[in-house]
Amino acid sequence: MNKKLFTLFFATLKISAFTFGGGFVIIPLLRRKFVEDLKWIDEEEMLDLIAVAQSSPGAVAVNASILVGYRVAGLLGAFVSVLGTIIPPLFIISVISFFYRAFRDNRFVNVFMAGMLCGVAAVILDVVISMLGILFKNKEKDKGRFITFDRVLSLILLVGAFVANRYFKINIIFIILACALFGVARSFYEKKKGGNRS
Amino acid sequence: MKLLFDLFVSFFQIGLLSFGGGYAAMPLIREQVVDLHGWLSMSGFGDIITIAEMTPGPVAINCATFVGIQVAGIPGALIATLGCITPACIIVTTLAYVYYKYKGLETVKAVLAALRPAIIAMIASAGLSLFELALAPEGSFVWTEAPFNVVALAVFILAFIVCRRFKANPIWVIAGSGLVTFCLFLIF
């Protein structure tokens, strides 16, 4: 148990020190560590945890860490991973706040940051491709068919959410609420119909 | 003491009311920090947003630390950060409990299944914004007459190949991209 908490703390500490460019960047990093390396969480569960993190108030990175910590080691795990997540920004900003103008205007710092941003964009593209693969992977009930009702529905939600967020600037929380309502409606419809399509 | 309490309450509100990530939180932070309490001037606020974007960690946490230090030193930074994460700690652990208790229910399964494509779309949208920012022509230092940053595009493609093909750890891909760009800057 103690070893698990140590791993959790140092993993979130290291991950938090590299989440440049917004909360979503923590997702490929958490996924790599907890799904691929440690295998403590499976792929679909990770997507669910991200959905919960995204629908809660506050920083996505902090929320995602709390959920991963809770999943791995309960309340104590959540506490340890929050601690790991806030220490790097707390420390870095505290140090920088004493000479932040010099830091902000430094050419070398800016070039390094611009380069890291390219890496961040590449890492996100990679995780999006992996997640799409999981979303559209073959399930047993598909019976080898390529076009299924589930896949078409997922594609519509995917494109709709993308367009709504990117081109209509709709706040993520409303998109999430709309999709959740759609999910509820679908489950009631199917229950009423008594069909076995899930 | 009153100051520390104010810091805690202000950042508690920011943490409680900011849905949808750091950029959605910015107007809230400005309202509390600049308009309501006058802890920072508008240009000071612009500075901290720039710094928050350049350093790792959530924008709200970075702002809390920065404002806290400016107003009340290290204790201020700690209290402001604590205020910022307290709502999330309570709400998210409750949701985590609910998720693990009820995730087997058909309705919950249907909701989660409907959320998955939307979440991937959100990540893709955020990634595309970062890609545009990375390729912005004003960031280029070689071939400034090009319509976009050629070096950034090359680093992006290289980083993507390393990620996809060689399954490299994203942390080292991000750090490596910074280093490669820095070296190119020194050479040219």
Side-chain angles (χ1 to χ4, degrees):
Chain A
M1 191 64 191
N2 272 336
K3 194 163 170 282
K4 221 171 188 183
L5 288 177
F6 266 108
T7 312
L8 196 59
F9 177 75
F10 287 108
T12 48
L13 191 78
K14 190 168 144 195
I15 286 169
S16 177
F18 281 89
T19 46
F20 290 88
F24 280 113
V25 181
I26 203 167
I27 290 158
L29 307 184
L30 286 176
R31 187 177 160 275
R32 167 74 182 207
K33 186 73 191 171
F34 292 96
V35 178
E36 289 184 359
D37 290 354
L38 296 169
K39 296 190 167 51
W40 285 352
I41 300 173
D42 69 47
E43 288 276 9
E44 288 205 343
E45 196 180 350
M46 193 70 204
L47 267 174
D48 292 346
L49 295 184
I50 297 162
V52 177
Q54 201 44 251
S55 352
S56 314
V60 178
V62 174
N63 298 352
S65 294
I66 294 175
L67 287 161
V68 167
Y70 184 88
R71 165 69 176 81
V72 171
L75 278 181
L76 199 58
F79 176 76
V80 163
S81 51
V82 166
L83 210 60
T85 305
I86 62 164
I87 287 174
L90 201 59
F91 178 76
I92 293 167
I93 295 287
S94 299
V95 172
I96 286 175
S97 71
F98 295 106
F99 54 90
Y100 72 96
R101 277 175 213 277
F103 176 81
R104 184 194 59 191
D105 298 332
N106 187 297
R107 191 85 209 266
F108 296 112
V109 171
N110 276 297
V111 167
F112 204 90
M113 295 300 159
M116 299 227 315
L117 206 56
C118 301
V120 167
V123 164
I124 292 193
L125 177 62
D126 175 62
V127 81
V128 166
I129 292 173
S130 300
M131 285 177 161
L132 285 175
I134 292 152
L135 187 68
F136 292 112
K137 75 167 182 245
N138 265 305
K139 296 193 181 84
E140 251 175 66
K141 64 184 161 83
D142 292 349
K143 299 184 189 79
R145 279 173 305 170
F146 181 66
I147 297 169
T148 63
F149 183 65
D150 278 348
R151 283 201 185 130
V152 173
L153 216 54
S154 291
L155 191 66
I156 292 170
L157 287 174
L158 186 89
V159 174
F162 187 83
V163 169
N165 179 244
R166 191 156 177 83
Y167 300 103
F168 294 98
K169 310 276 172 221
I170 293 170
N171 191 311
I172 293 170
I173 194 69
F174 296 118
I175 296 171
I176 285 176
L177 280 176
C179 288
L181 276 177
F182 177 82
V184 172
R186 193 184 167 204
S187 118
F188 278 114
Y189 173 73
E190 265 161 26
K191 234 176 249 171
K192 210 173 147 191
K193 210 178 57 173
N196 52 5
R197 206 160 51 187
S198 59
Chain B
M1 211 54 218
K2 168 89 169 62
L3 192 59
L4 289 180
F5 182 73
D6 283 347
L7 272 172
F8 184 86
V9 173
S10 274
F11 279 96
F12 187 92
Q13 286 178 40
I14 292 166
L16 183 65
L17 300 174
S18 59
F19 284 92
Y23 296 97
M26 278 178 193
L28 269 169
I29 299 173
R30 205 202 68 190
E31 190 191 310
Q32 287 288 336
V33 168
V34 181
D35 304 342
L36 204 64
H37 293 284
W39 286 324
L40 288 182
S41 64
M42 204 48 216
S43 80
F45 179 72
D47 287 345
I48 174 55
I49 296 301
T50 313
I51 301 292
E53 279 168 0
M54 291 170 76
T55 51
V59 174
I61 306 282
N62 289 345
C63 284
T65 307
F66 188 82
V67 173
I69 284 218
Q70 302 285 317
V71 179
I74 300 287
L78 290 174
I79 293 290
T81 303
L82 191 66
C84 196
I85 61 164
T86 304
C89 287
I90 298 166
I91 294 167
V92 176
T93 20
T94 311
L95 285 175
Y97 173 78
V98 172
Y99 167 73
Y100 283 109
K101 197 165 160 79
Y102 296 108
K103 72 170 176 167
L105 291 180
E106 283 304 322
T107 308
V108 176
K109 271 191 199 160
V111 168
L112 289 169
L115 286 184
R116 278 177 207 143
I119 292 301
I120 297 174
M122 298 299 105
I123 299 172
S125 172
L128 195 57
S129 300
L130 286 174
F131 179 72
E132 286 171 354
L133 194 64
L135 291 200
E138 61 263 38
S140 62
F141 47 85
V142 189
W143 299 333
T144 35
E145 66 273 20
F148 56 87
N149 191 333
V150 179
V151 174
L153 184 66
V155 172
F156 170 79
I157 293 171
L158 190 69
F160 178 69
I161 292 170
V162 172
C163 250
R164 199 75 215 147
R165 194 88 192 84
F166 303 103
K167 301 278 164 219
N169 191 324
I171 287 184
W172 303 123
V173 173
I174 295 170
S177 303
L179 199 64
V180 167
T181 310
F182 188 73
C183 292
L184 287 171
F185 175 71
L186 291 183
I187 294 166
F188 293 104

mmCIF file of all heavy atoms in Angstrom, chain B residues 35-64:
data_model
loop_
_atom_site.group_PDB
_atom_site.id
_atom_site.type_symbol
_atom_site.label_atom_id
_atom_site.label_comp_id
_atom_site.label_asym_id
_atom_site.label_seq_id
_atom_site.Cartn_x
_atom_site.Cartn_y
_atom_site.Cartn_z
ATOM 1 N N ASP B 35 -10.720 43.376 -10.480
ATOM 2 C CA ASP B 35 -11.861 44.278 -10.282
ATOM 3 C C ASP B 35 -12.297 44.372 -8.823
ATOM 4 O O ASP B 35 -12.511 45.454 -8.297
ATOM 5 C CB ASP B 35 -13.060 43.824 -11.129
ATOM 6 C CG ASP B 35 -12.709 43.717 -12.595
ATOM 7 O OD1 ASP B 35 -11.675 44.310 -12.983
ATOM 8 O OD2 ASP B 35 -13.440 43.055 -13.353
ATOM 9 N N LEU B 36 -12.421 43.213 -8.162
ATOM 10 C CA LEU B 36 -13.028 43.192 -6.832
ATOM 11 C C LEU B 36 -12.048 43.596 -5.732
ATOM 12 O O LEU B 36 -12.342 44.430 -4.893
ATOM 13 C CB LEU B 36 -13.595 41.785 -6.580
ATOM 14 C CG LEU B 36 -14.716 41.679 -5.563
ATOM 15 C CD1 LEU B 36 -15.935 42.446 -6.053
ATOM 16 C CD2 LEU B 36 -15.096 40.207 -5.355
ATOM 17 N N HIS B 37 -10.847 42.977 -5.734
ATOM 18 C CA HIS B 37 -9.909 43.207 -4.639
ATOM 19 C C HIS B 37 -8.728 44.103 -5.004
ATOM 20 O O HIS B 37 -8.022 44.573 -4.117
ATOM 21 C CB HIS B 37 -9.379 41.863 -4.123
ATOM 22 C CG HIS B 37 -10.428 41.028 -3.447
ATOM 23 N ND1 HIS B 37 -10.881 41.296 -2.183
ATOM 24 C CD2 HIS B 37 -11.123 39.941 -3.881
ATOM 25 C CE1 HIS B 37 -11.813 40.402 -1.857
ATOM 26 N NE2 HIS B 37 -11.978 39.579 -2.867
ATOM 27 N N GLY B 38 -8.501 44.306 -6.306
ATOM 28 C CA GLY B 38 -7.376 45.147 -6.716
ATOM 29 C C GLY B 38 -6.017 44.606 -6.300
ATOM 30 O O GLY B 38 -5.084 45.355 -6.063
ATOM 31 N N TRP B 39 -5.889 43.276 -6.212
ATOM 32 C CA TRP B 39 -4.601 42.679 -5.845
ATOM 33 C C TRP B 39 -3.578 42.826 -6.972
ATOM 34 O O TRP B 39 -2.390 42.896 -6.742
ATOM 35 C CB TRP B 39 -4.781 41.191 -5.493
ATOM 36 C CG TRP B 39 -5.430 40.986 -4.164
ATOM 37 C CD1 TRP B 39 -5.261 41.733 -3.036
ATOM 38 C CD2 TRP B 39 -6.368 39.961 -3.815
ATOM 39 N NE1 TRP B 39 -6.029 41.236 -2.007
ATOM 40 C CE2 TRP B 39 -6.709 40.149 -2.451
ATOM 41 C CE3 TRP B 39 -6.939 38.899 -4.517
ATOM 42 C CZ2 TRP B 39 -7.599 39.323 -1.783
ATOM 43 C CZ3 TRP B 39 -7.818 38.075 -3.860
ATOM 44 C CH2 TRP B 39 -8.150 38.284 -2.504
ATOM 45 N N LEU B 40 -4.079 42.811 -8.207
ATOM 46 C CA LEU B 40 -3.209 43.005 -9.366
ATOM 47 C C LEU B 40 -3.809 44.094 -10.250
ATOM 48 O O LEU B 40 -5.024 44.265 -10.296
ATOM 49 C CB LEU B 40 -3.112 41.723 -10.204
ATOM 50 C CG LEU B 40 -2.333 40.523 -9.702
ATOM 51 C CD1 LEU B 40 -2.358 39.431 -10.747
ATOM 52 C CD2 LEU B 40 -0.897 40.885 -9.369
ATOM 53 N N SER B 41 -2.912 44.818 -10.979
ATOM 54 C CA SER B 41 -3.397 45.738 -11.992
ATOM 55 C C SER B 41 -3.721 44.918 -13.244
ATOM 56 O O SER B 41 -3.384 43.743 -13.326
ATOM 57 C CB SER B 41 -2.313 46.762 -12.319
ATOM 58 O OG SER B 41 -1.215 46.092 -12.878
ATOM 59 N N MET B 42 -4.356 45.560 -14.227
ATOM 60 C CA MET B 42 -4.686 44.829 -15.457
ATOM 61 C C MET B 42 -3.412 44.346 -16.158
ATOM 62 O O MET B 42 -3.380 43.247 -16.689
ATOM 63 C CB MET B 42 -5.504 45.759 -16.370
ATOM 64 C CG MET B 42 -6.380 45.039 -17.372
ATOM 65 S SD MET B 42 -7.360 43.706 -16.657
ATOM 66 C CE MET B 42 -7.304 42.534 -18.014
ATOM 67 N N SER B 43 -2.348 45.146 -16.125
ATOM 68 C CA SER B 43 -1.111 44.708 -16.790
ATOM 69 C C SER B 43 -0.451 43.590 -15.988
ATOM 70 O O SER B 43 0.131 42.661 -16.556
ATOM 71 C CB SER B 43 -0.159 45.884 -17.004
ATOM 72 O OG SER B 43 0.534 46.180 -15.812
ATOM 73 N N GLY B 44 -0.576 43.648 -14.672
ATOM 74 C CA GLY B 44 -0.080 42.557 -13.825
ATOM 75 C C GLY B 44 -0.816 41.267 -14.128
ATOM 76 O O GLY B 44 -0.225 40.192 -14.173
ATOM 77 N N PHE B 45 -2.118 41.397 -14.375
ATOM 78 C CA PHE B 45 -2.931 40.231 -14.723
ATOM 79 C C PHE B 45 -2.471 39.639 -16.065
ATOM 80 O O PHE B 45 -2.341 38.426 -16.200
ATOM 81 C CB PHE B 45 -4.413 40.626 -14.785
ATOM 82 C CG PHE B 45 -5.324 39.495 -15.154
ATOM 83 C CD1 PHE B 45 -5.585 38.467 -14.257
ATOM 84 C CD2 PHE B 45 -5.914 39.450 -16.404
ATOM 85 C CE1 PHE B 45 -6.414 37.428 -14.608
ATOM 86 C CE2 PHE B 45 -6.757 38.402 -16.757
ATOM 87 C CZ PHE B 45 -7.003 37.396 -15.849
ATOM 88 N N GLY B 46 -2.211 40.530 -17.039
ATOM 89 C CA GLY B 46 -1.683 40.079 -18.336
ATOM 90 C C GLY B 46 -0.368 39.326 -18.158
ATOM 91 O O GLY B 46 -0.149 38.281 -18.775
ATOM 92 N N ASP B 47 0.492 39.863 -17.262
ATOM 93 C CA ASP B 47 1.778 39.201 -16.990
ATOM 94 C C ASP B 47 1.573 37.786 -16.469
ATOM 95 O O ASP B 47 2.198 36.836 -16.939
ATOM 96 C CB ASP B 47 2.581 39.986 -15.943
ATOM 97 C CG ASP B 47 3.154 41.267 -16.513
ATOM 98 O OD1 ASP B 47 3.175 41.390 -17.744
ATOM 99 O OD2 ASP B 47 3.562 42.134 -15.723
ATOM 100 N N ILE B 48 0.680 37.641 -15.483
ATOM 101 C CA ILE B 48 0.527 36.326 -14.864
ATOM 102 C C ILE B 48 -0.083 35.329 -15.848
ATOM 103 O O ILE B 48 0.272 34.154 -15.844
ATOM 104 C CB ILE B 48 -0.245 36.366 -13.514
ATOM 105 C CG1 ILE B 48 -0.500 34.943 -12.980
ATOM 106 C CG2 ILE B 48 -1.539 37.123 -13.591
ATOM 107 C CD1 ILE B 48 0.717 34.098 -12.820
ATOM 108 N N ILE B 49 -0.964 35.812 -16.742
ATOM 109 C CA ILE B 49 -1.522 34.895 -17.743
ATOM 110 C C ILE B 49 -0.407 34.385 -18.663
ATOM 111 O O ILE B 49 -0.325 33.191 -18.950
ATOM 112 C CB ILE B 49 -2.651 35.582 -18.557
ATOM 113 C CG1 ILE B 49 -3.832 35.927 -17.638
ATOM 114 C CG2 ILE B 49 -3.112 34.694 -19.707
ATOM 115 C CD1 ILE B 49 -4.469 34.746 -16.927
ATOM 116 N N THR B 50 0.482 35.320 -19.067
ATOM 117 C CA THR B 50 1.618 34.904 -19.909
ATOM 118 C C THR B 50 2.490 33.894 -19.168
ATOM 119 O O THR B 50 2.859 32.852 -19.721
ATOM 120 C CB THR B 50 2.473 36.134 -20.288
ATOM 121 O OG1 THR B 50 1.601 37.162 -20.724
ATOM 122 C CG2 THR B 50 3.464 35.793 -21.380
ATOM 123 N N ILE B 51 2.813 34.202 -17.917
ATOM 124 C CA ILE B 51 3.659 33.298 -17.128
ATOM 125 C C ILE B 51 2.961 31.939 -16.950
ATOM 126 O O ILE B 51 3.579 30.889 -17.076
ATOM 127 C CB ILE B 51 3.960 33.898 -15.726
ATOM 128 C CG1 ILE B 51 4.656 35.249 -15.846
ATOM 129 C CG2 ILE B 51 4.792 32.942 -14.884
ATOM 130 C CD1 ILE B 51 6.035 35.210 -16.388
ATOM 131 N N ALA B 52 1.654 31.992 -16.668
ATOM 132 C CA ALA B 52 0.910 30.747 -16.447
ATOM 133 C C ALA B 52 0.936 29.872 -17.691
ATOM 134 O O ALA B 52 0.986 28.652 -17.604
ATOM 135 C CB ALA B 52 -0.536 31.056 -16.054
ATOM 136 N N GLU B 53 0.920 30.515 -18.870
ATOM 137 C CA GLU B 53 0.962 29.733 -20.108
ATOM 138 C C GLU B 53 2.346 29.157 -20.374
ATOM 139 O O GLU B 53 2.484 28.144 -21.037
ATOM 140 C CB GLU B 53 0.525 30.603 -21.292
ATOM 141 C CG GLU B 53 -0.984 30.704 -21.373
ATOM 142 C CD GLU B 53 -1.440 31.773 -22.339
ATOM 143 O OE1 GLU B 53 -0.592 32.431 -22.954
ATOM 144 O OE2 GLU B 53 -2.663 31.952 -22.452
ATOM 145 N N MET B 54 3.376 29.852 -19.862
ATOM 146 C CA MET B 54 4.744 29.398 -20.126
ATOM 147 C C MET B 54 5.213 28.337 -19.145
ATOM 148 O O MET B 54 6.222 27.674 -19.382
ATOM 149 C CB MET B 54 5.706 30.586 -20.055
ATOM 150 C CG MET B 54 5.530 31.569 -21.197
ATOM 151 S SD MET B 54 6.474 33.072 -20.914
ATOM 152 C CE MET B 54 8.123 32.518 -21.287
ATOM 153 N N THR B 55 4.547 28.225 -18.004
ATOM 154 C CA THR B 55 4.994 27.276 -16.983
ATOM 155 C C THR B 55 3.999 26.117 -16.888
ATOM 156 O O THR B 55 2.842 26.259 -17.275
ATOM 157 C CB THR B 55 5.086 27.970 -15.606
ATOM 158 O OG1 THR B 55 3.862 28.650 -15.367
ATOM 159 C CG2 THR B 55 6.218 28.957 -15.555
ATOM 160 N N PRO B 56 4.456 24.977 -16.376
ATOM 161 C CA PRO B 56 3.524 23.851 -16.257
ATOM 162 C C PRO B 56 2.479 24.099 -15.189
ATOM 163 O O PRO B 56 2.638 24.996 -14.360
ATOM 164 C CB PRO B 56 4.429 22.688 -15.872
ATOM 165 C CG PRO B 56 5.610 23.306 -15.222
ATOM 166 C CD PRO B 56 5.804 24.622 -15.902
ATOM 167 N N GLY B 57 1.425 23.318 -15.215
ATOM 168 C CA GLY B 57 0.399 23.412 -14.174
ATOM 169 C C GLY B 57 -0.815 24.195 -14.637
ATOM 170 O O GLY B 57 -0.745 24.961 -15.585
ATOM 171 N N PRO B 58 -1.952 23.967 -13.976
ATOM 172 C CA PRO B 58 -3.195 24.633 -14.336
ATOM 173 C C PRO B 58 -3.102 26.153 -14.166
ATOM 174 O O PRO B 58 -2.453 26.629 -13.233
ATOM 175 C CB PRO B 58 -4.206 24.066 -13.332
ATOM 176 C CG PRO B 58 -3.581 22.841 -12.785
ATOM 177 C CD PRO B 58 -2.114 23.034 -12.861
ATOM 178 N N VAL B 59 -3.739 26.873 -15.086
ATOM 179 C CA VAL B 59 -3.717 28.334 -15.057
ATOM 180 C C VAL B 59 -4.232 28.868 -13.716
ATOM 181 O O VAL B 59 -3.636 29.773 -13.127
ATOM 182 C CB VAL B 59 -4.553 28.910 -16.225
ATOM 183 C CG1 VAL B 59 -4.662 30.421 -16.114
ATOM 184 C CG2 VAL B 59 -3.925 28.535 -17.551
ATOM 185 N N ALA B 60 -5.312 28.286 -13.209
ATOM 186 C CA ALA B 60 -5.910 28.782 -11.962
ATOM 187 C C ALA B 60 -4.946 28.617 -10.781
ATOM 188 O O ALA B 60 -4.818 29.507 -9.938
ATOM 189 C CB ALA B 60 -7.226 28.072 -11.681
ATOM 190 N N ILE B 61 -4.257 27.477 -10.723
ATOM 191 C CA ILE B 61 -3.294 27.225 -9.635
ATOM 192 C C ILE B 61 -2.117 28.189 -9.753
ATOM 193 O O ILE B 61 -1.654 28.760 -8.758
ATOM 194 C CB ILE B 61 -2.770 25.766 -9.681
ATOM 195 C CG1 ILE B 61 -3.913 24.760 -9.672
ATOM 196 C CG2 ILE B 61 -1.776 25.499 -8.562
ATOM 197 C CD1 ILE B 61 -4.534 24.516 -8.352
ATOM 198 N N ASN B 62 -1.635 28.379 -10.987
ATOM 199 C CA ASN B 62 -0.529 29.306 -11.205
ATOM 200 C C ASN B 62 -0.909 30.718 -10.769
ATOM 201 O O ASN B 62 -0.123 31.415 -10.134
ATOM 202 C CB ASN B 62 -0.122 29.305 -12.683
ATOM 203 C CG ASN B 62 0.564 28.010 -13.085
ATOM 204 O OD1 ASN B 62 0.985 27.231 -12.234
ATOM 205 N ND2 ASN B 62 0.677 27.774 -14.369
ATOM 206 N N CYS B 63 -2.117 31.151 -11.126
ATOM 207 C CA CYS B 63 -2.584 32.487 -10.732
ATOM 208 C C CYS B 63 -2.690 32.589 -9.218
ATOM 209 O O CYS B 63 -2.295 33.595 -8.627
ATOM 210 C CB CYS B 63 -3.948 32.788 -11.349
ATOM 211 S SG CYS B 63 -3.849 33.187 -13.076
ATOM 212 N N ALA B 64 -3.238 31.547 -8.592
ATOM 213 C CA ALA B 64 -3.401 31.560 -7.135
ATOM 214 C C ALA B 64 -2.048 31.732 -6.459
ATOM 215 O O ALA B 64 -1.894 32.554 -5.544
ATOM 216 C CB ALA B 64 -4.072 30.272 -6.669
#
